[in-house]
Amino acid sequence: MPDPRTIAELALEVRSKNAGPFWVTMELFMRDAAGYAQVADPDYLNPTVIARLYGVPADTIQMFRLPSLNVVKISFPRPVSQGSLRDRDIHAGQHHVPLALHPLPH
């Protein structure tokens, strides 16, 4: 198997969902501690990177690193509230795609 090039290729699962009508939460479930260490590294994944990927202010992003579960959880305010006129992903189920396709460091 070739070396993983994106978070999605390294992770067991990358998903997103609503965290209430005004917030999105994304979860990275890593296969093992080595994969977790790679994506949980603040030099690799931090609010500045998430802000660039999603066009949201970095100071609104919350990140939770859970080493005992090999999980990184990221939350930020939705660009539009759930179910509003401009909402194109009512369950926030597609918000994880830019993060899943984010390239891994070399």
Side-chain angles (χ1 to χ4, degrees), residues 12-102:
L12 183 63
E13 182 174 347
V14 180
R15 68 182 184 191
S16 57
K17 60 185 180 181
N18 287 328
F22 306 109
W23 284 79
V24 171
T25 291
M26 295 181 290
E27 297 162 326
L28 307 173
F29 294 87
M30 306 312 295
R31 295 180 193 280
D32 53 31
Y36 169 80
Q38 195 168 358
V39 299
D41 183 349
D43 290 335
Y44 169 65
L45 206 55
N46 54 55
T48 302
V49 172
I50 301 302
R52 183 172 37 83
L53 285 174
Y54 290 95
V56 297
D59 62 350
T60 64
I61 297 167
Q62 299 178 6
M63 295 186 72
F64 306 94
R65 294 171 173 87
L66 307 167
S68 61
L69 300 174
N70 294 330
V71 169
V72 176
K73 186 172 181 173
I74 302 163
S75 295
F76 57 83
R78 291 177 59 103
V80 295
S81 61
Q82 180 187 20
S84 68
L85 183 61
R86 294 184 308 149
D87 185 11
R88 297 175 61 190
D89 184 5
I90 195 164
H91 298 294
Q94 300 302 313
H95 280 65
H96 68 284
V97 174
L99 181 61
L101 299 178
H102 188 62

